[in-house]
Amino acid sequence: MHNKPITLLLIVLTFFLSCKKESGEKVLYLAHTLPQTHPVHKGILKFQEVLAKKSGNTLKIKIFPDGQLGSEREVLELLQIGSVAITKVSAATLSNFVPEYHVLGIPYLFKNKQHQFDVLEGPVGKSILEKGSKFWLRGLCYYDAGSRSFYTSSKAIRKPEDLKGLKIRVMNNQMAINMVNAMGGSATPMAYGELYTAIQQGVVDGAENNPPSFVSSNHYEVSKYYTIDEHSAVPDVLLISTKYWEKLSEQERKWVEAAAAESSQAQKEYWRASVEASMKTAKAAGVEVIIPEKALFAEKSKSVLEDFKKDYPEMVPLINQIKAE
């Protein structure tokens, strides 16, 4: 599958083992792409711990981190065919399967962190989680993946005009591309693994990401300016394959949902601590942290929202609902 080391044998084995019973126990396989030091992985460990406790060890989670079973997209496909029970992916990746998740990537959609989680944990967020069921991808909860901001190697960004002429690496995502271009930069899609060298060699002038990623990738070594404009806040999503959801009893489903909700609250604290530690590391390494006037960046990115509304008119009521919360 896309040249990843996932053999047919492994897929067949995981199909039979993902929800296997061992002396009255059910073991659900959970795969994700993050390292075990990541605050989202810590949230998943909490999910594993709480579910085992609530179910009296009759429901257990076996975790495959570090992309052992493939990329986010590949693992989503494994959920759809029933080879893996649960995964964690970015809402940006999920939007390729469930269109409603596109909305969560709109620049400056949320007023602040409190507004974001009021929406995600309320009726609107829950309705989006359920939208994936028809694609065999039922959402359980959201995890905090922080806010993305710009970092550059040789020129500080203090206002949107400073982006002019700069090549900024973005994910291969149309909304991210449109946003950087609207602000005056030159959006440059590129694989994340190539980015350190690309900044170091001047192939790109910078990128955008959250503080834990900025530091864990060592990009702070080659980018000495970090502008906290927080232009987007795309959450991560914990999902279960509907093929496995349907195998669970009503009581087991309640345990899974309760464990997911509890892990989501704990993960926010893991994330907050990780952001604090990351910013401390970056500053100690000589990175200049800039707090700009966000309203200037929000104004420049308004065209992204208007273009999105034209392309996805059916999403306008959802956007209005979020803004009204």
Side-chain angles (χ1 to χ4, degrees):
M1 195 180 285
H2 307 302
N3 297 319
K4 288 283 184 181
I6 304 175
T7 64
L8 180 59
L9 176 60
L10 176 59
I11 292 174
V12 171
L13 281 173
T14 53
F15 179 80
F16 286 111
L17 296 175
S18 279
C19 199
K20 67 180 179 179
K21 289 189 178 181
E22 290 180 347
S23 59
E25 298 173 356
K26 286 182 182 175
V27 182
L28 282 73
Y29 281 17
L30 189 161
H32 69 80
T33 60
L34 297 171
Q36 295 177 57
T37 54
H38 198 282
V40 170
H41 177 75
K42 292 177 183 176
I44 289 168
L45 288 176
K46 188 68 168 179
F47 172 62
Q48 179 189 49
E49 173 197 326
V50 174
L51 183 58
K53 186 176 179 181
K54 284 186 180 295
S55 69
N57 284 319
T58 58
L59 276 185
K60 291 188 173 181
I61 301 292
K62 183 170 174 58
I63 303 171
F64 293 84
D66 299 305
Q68 290 176 34
L69 299 187
S71 67
E72 286 197 332
R73 185 179 184 94
E74 287 165 342
V75 175
L76 282 172
E77 290 168 356
L78 291 178
L79 255 74
Q80 287 183 312
I81 63 175
S83 296
V84 171
I86 302 175
T87 191
K88 184 294 309 171
V89 298
S90 168
T93 305
L94 197 49
S95 66
N96 296 314
F97 295 76
V98 186
E100 284 78 7
Y101 284 101
H102 276 299
V103 171
L104 302 182
I106 293 171
Y108 298 103
L109 174 69
F110 302 109
K111 302 181 187 87
N112 49 43
K113 181 78 75 180
Q114 185 63 50
H115 176 229
Q116 180 188 16
F117 277 93
D118 284 348
V119 169
L120 296 180
E121 292 168 2
V124 174
K126 288 175 182 173
S127 73
I128 295 173
L129 290 176
E130 289 168 7
K131 293 285 185 187
S133 293
K134 60 186 174 185
F135 303 101
W136 305 284
L137 301 168
R138 181 185 177 85
L140 293 172
C141 69
Y142 298 94
Y143 286 144
D144 192 353
S147 299
R148 300 177 77 92
S149 295
F150 292 113
Y151 52 88
T152 46
S153 55
S154 58
K155 178 186 175 184
I157 299 169
R158 303 182 192 280
K159 52 189 185 302
E161 289 73 20
D162 294 331
L163 281 161
K164 189 174 181 181
L166 297 185
K167 289 182 179 177
I168 303 295
R169 180 268 174 185
V170 293
M171 294 181 289
N172 192 12
N173 172 285
Q174 197 56 51
M175 192 175 289
I177 293 168
N178 293 348
M179 180 200 67
V180 169
N181 290 340
M183 288 185 184
S186 178
T188 308
M190 176 183 292
Y192 193 61
E194 299 170 8
L195 184 51
Y196 184 101
T197 305
I199 295 173
Q200 190 177 42
Q201 296 179 350
V203 176
V204 294
D205 300 291
E208 44 90 53
N209 216 322
N210 56 60
S213 296
F214 177 54
V215 171
S216 65
S217 61
N218 296 319
H219 293 169
Y220 71 98
E221 296 175 352
V222 289
S223 304
K224 290 304 176 184
Y225 303 98
Y226 195 15
T227 302
I228 310 298
D229 66 300
E230 297 182 319
H231 44 257
S232 64
V234 181
D236 280 339
V237 186
L238 188 69
L239 304 153
I240 186 167
S241 166
T242 57
K243 295 180 186 296
Y244 286 100
W245 181 255
E246 288 162 6
K247 291 180 183 179
L248 300 176
S249 69
E250 193 62 36
Q251 180 59 70
E252 287 170 334
R253 291 177 185 180
K254 287 178 181 175
W255 286 332
V256 168
E257 288 180 325
E262 201 168 316
S263 74
S264 177
Q265 297 307 311
Q267 188 271 336
K268 285 187 210 173
E269 286 305 305
Y270 302 146
W271 186 270
R272 184 190 57 74
S274 181
V275 168
E276 283 184 10
S278 299
M279 293 301 286
K280 190 174 179 180
T281 298
K283 288 176 182 177
V287 174
E288 181 184 350
V289 176
I290 299 151
I291 309 296
E293 192 175 336
K294 292 180 191 177
L296 299 176
F297 291 83
E299 183 64 32
K300 278 284 187 181
S301 66
K302 275 186 176 176
S303 62
V304 177
L305 173 58
E306 296 312 312
D307 289 345
F308 182 80
K309 286 179 175 178
K310 288 174 191 170
D311 293 340
Y312 297 92
E314 71 279 11
M315 300 291 177
V316 172
L318 178 57
I319 294 167
N320 292 341
Q321 229 181 329
I322 290 171
K323 286 183 170 288
E325 287 281 320

